[in-house]
Amino acid sequence: MADQNIVVVPDSNNLFDFVAKKGHGIKGLVDSGIAKVPELYIQPPQERVFDHHQEVKYLSVSNNSSISSLLSPIDLSKLDGPEHEKVVDDIVRAAKTTGFFQVINHGVDLESLESIKDAAHRFFSQPTDSKTVYLKGASISPYVRYTTSFAPEKEKKLEWRDHISMIYTNDNDAEKHWPSVCKKEVLDYMKSTYKTARRLFEILIENLGVEPEESMLESLAGFKVVNMNFYPACPSPELTIGAGRHSDMSTLTVLLQDDNGGLFVKIEEDVGAGKQEEWIEIPPISGALVINVGDALQIISNDKYKSSEHKVRTTSKRSRVSIPLFVAPKPTEKIGPLPQLVARDGGALYREVVYQDYRMNFFGLAHDGKKALDFAKINYPN
């Protein structure tokens, strides 16, 4: 009997079918024992993270307060205590500048964080047939989508990543439709991290001078999607990208990194008459969660808060996993700058759009920085 674990990679003409349409993904390529990166994955130099001569370095906090919350996490246990206002100020400053920050003492059990990382490795270690039942376009579940890269049909070069996306509607649907190999861990992770996201969203809304009523919080941050990303070890990481530069379409994203690192955020600073850009790697900190502002919150806040471009490098050392929870508006909800802000600012920077339309536009494009935001922008002032 033939060994079911042996993977035979086709020639370059049929490689796309192998990785995307048949669902073998990057994991299938790596399992085949490939010694070099296929042309389909070699990124243009400007899209790569670093070359193999560069050593990744984390910048010193020094005098740059805008990146301090990337490197020194915010302690959420100090909320509602003597240092409450300082913690709130740190959260707000990060949301207005880098759009990213890390938090500790967030209330999520550390054992749960380890369990979800183990569950991610467990899912992607399954035979291909066990994963392709959830393949995009042919999934047995209306709430689960498994795929490779981001939008492979739209991309000239593919990302070095496989991932599964799980939409949460209620516990019964999750129990019935999510993969049995990981659903318990994903559900526990989603529920605990969502509490953190909701508290942070309330803080950010309050800072805008808007009363965060429950109905508004639910409509703008009640949709929940958990992804598990898998970045297999790459023979030539300097040629590839794990995830191309993009901003998230969410209101807020809560991300768990493993200890491999690899998440980079673009920092922009005004220098004279122009802007200076730099990509900074967010260091993995044990027990910390990475929080970032999504496009929906930038729209809602009329540009008070900024979604930032970020990307992920690959590594030749070992496979990496990350688990983001995307907290977003309900798909049928119309989103636009909050009326209180429009009145105060003298105008809106974005038109009102149905969030599902924004999502469809986002998924219909290859990763390309913050281009997806153009869908909702209006000319202002007239």
Side-chain angles (χ1 to χ4, degrees):
M1 179 180 292
D3 187 341
Q4 297 299 310
N5 294 318
I6 294 177
V7 179
V8 179
V9 179
D11 59 37
S12 58
N13 293 328
N14 297 313
L15 186 59
F16 182 86
D17 284 352
F18 176 83
V19 296
K21 293 186 177 180
K22 295 182 179 178
H24 290 281
I26 308 298
K27 181 70 162 54
L29 287 180
V30 172
D31 287 348
S32 74
I34 59 167
K36 64 179 184 178
V37 174
E39 181 65 29
L40 185 60
Y41 291 91
I42 298 178
Q43 296 285 333
Q46 68 272 17
E47 298 298 336
R48 302 172 193 173
V49 177
F50 63 97
D51 66 44
H52 66 286
H53 297 297
Q54 292 178 308
E55 180 181 348
V56 175
K57 297 178 180 178
Y58 303 122
L59 297 188
S60 169
V61 175
S62 62
N63 296 321
N64 192 339
S65 61
S66 68
I67 66 170
S68 63
S69 55
L70 297 178
L71 312 179
S72 299
I74 298 171
D75 187 346
L76 296 187
S77 70
K78 294 181 179 179
L79 286 171
D80 303 319
E83 297 184 54
H84 177 84
E85 292 304 321
K86 180 184 182 304
V87 174
V88 169
D89 288 346
D90 288 344
I91 292 168
V92 169
R93 183 176 65 251
K96 288 183 174 181
T97 54
T98 62
F100 272 77
F101 55 100
Q102 298 205 67
V103 297
I104 56 172
N105 296 325
H106 35 62
V108 183
D109 184 80
L110 298 184
E111 185 176 332
S112 174
L113 299 184
E114 292 305 312
S115 294
I116 188 68
K117 287 186 284 189
D118 291 342
H121 281 288
R122 193 161 59 244
F123 175 84
F124 290 104
S125 294
Q126 296 179 107
T128 299
D129 289 349
S130 298
K131 294 177 287 189
T132 53
V133 294
Y134 301 108
L135 193 61
K136 177 184 175 182
S139 177
I140 60 173
S141 167
Y143 307 111
V144 182
R145 185 186 72 168
Y146 164 73
T147 189
T148 191
S149 195
F150 174 68
E153 297 83 2
K154 305 286 184 180
E155 297 164 340
K156 295 179 180 179
K157 299 293 182 178
L158 300 191
E159 300 174 351
W160 195 266
R161 172 177 65 125
D162 300 331
H163 57 105
I164 182 171
S165 178
M166 288 159 278
I167 297 172
Y168 177 80
T169 50
N170 56 59
D171 286 3
N172 288 336
D173 285 343
E175 180 64 33
K176 182 178 179 181
H177 295 286
W178 287 5
S180 59
V181 71
C182 62
K183 62 185 174 186
K184 179 184 182 302
E185 292 83 359
V186 174
L187 194 57
D188 289 346
Y189 172 79
M190 184 276 296
K191 288 183 175 181
S192 55
T193 51
Y194 181 63
K195 292 178 183 177
T196 301
R198 274 290 292 262
R199 181 71 197 280
L200 293 170
F201 184 49
E202 289 177 24
I203 288 170
L204 292 171
I205 291 296
E206 285 177 346
N207 179 72
L208 297 174
V210 177
E211 183 66 30
E213 297 179 358
E214 179 60 30
S215 59
M216 181 185 70
L217 294 172
E218 184 62 22
S219 64
L220 297 179
F223 185 56
K224 299 174 278 291
V225 181
V226 180
N227 276 18
M228 295 193 302
N229 298 315
F230 183 69
Y231 305 89
C234 178
S236 299
E238 70 277 6
L239 299 178
T240 60
I241 194 78
R245 53 189 179 84
H246 68 285
S247 56
D248 291 346
M249 63 179 176
S250 57
T251 302
L252 285 176
T253 301
V254 182
L255 174 75
L256 175 65
Q257 299 199 79
D258 65 14
D259 60 1
N260 284 303
L263 173 62
F264 284 74
V265 60
K266 186 169 80 172
I267 305 298
E268 294 182 314
E269 293 185 343
D270 292 324
V271 179
K275 284 187 177 294
Q276 178 177 314
E277 298 179 357
E278 189 164 11
W279 287 90
I280 297 175
E281 184 169 18
I282 301 178
I285 297 173
S286 179
L289 293 169
V290 179
I291 312 294
N292 68 275
V293 173
D295 291 350
L297 185 51
Q298 179 164 336
I299 292 170
I300 292 163
S301 70
N302 210 29
D303 268 3
K304 299 296 186 298
Y305 302 128
K306 307 291 186 182
S307 62
S308 291
E309 289 185 42
H310 50 288
K311 57 186 176 182
V312 179
R313 65 171 168 83
T314 58
T315 176
S316 60
K317 296 178 180 178
R318 52 180 172 151
S319 297
R320 174 185 186 266
V321 295
S322 68
I323 303 95
L325 165 68
F326 300 104
V327 175
K330 296 290 184 66
T332 56
E333 188 69 24
K334 290 183 178 180
I335 65 168
L338 295 172
Q340 299 93 325
L341 300 181
V342 174
R344 193 183 309 153
D345 296 344
L349 298 175
Y350 301 92
R351 64 188 179 92
E352 189 176 71
V353 297
V354 176
Y355 185 64
Q356 178 65 5
D357 293 341
Y358 191 86
R359 291 183 76 242
M360 295 297 290
N361 176 73
F362 185 91
F363 284 119
L365 303 170
H367 278 154
D368 189 12
K370 296 183 65 171
K371 288 290 181 65
L373 260 177
D374 292 344
F375 180 79
K377 284 182 179 178
I378 58 177
N379 292 325
Y380 171 74
N382 292 321

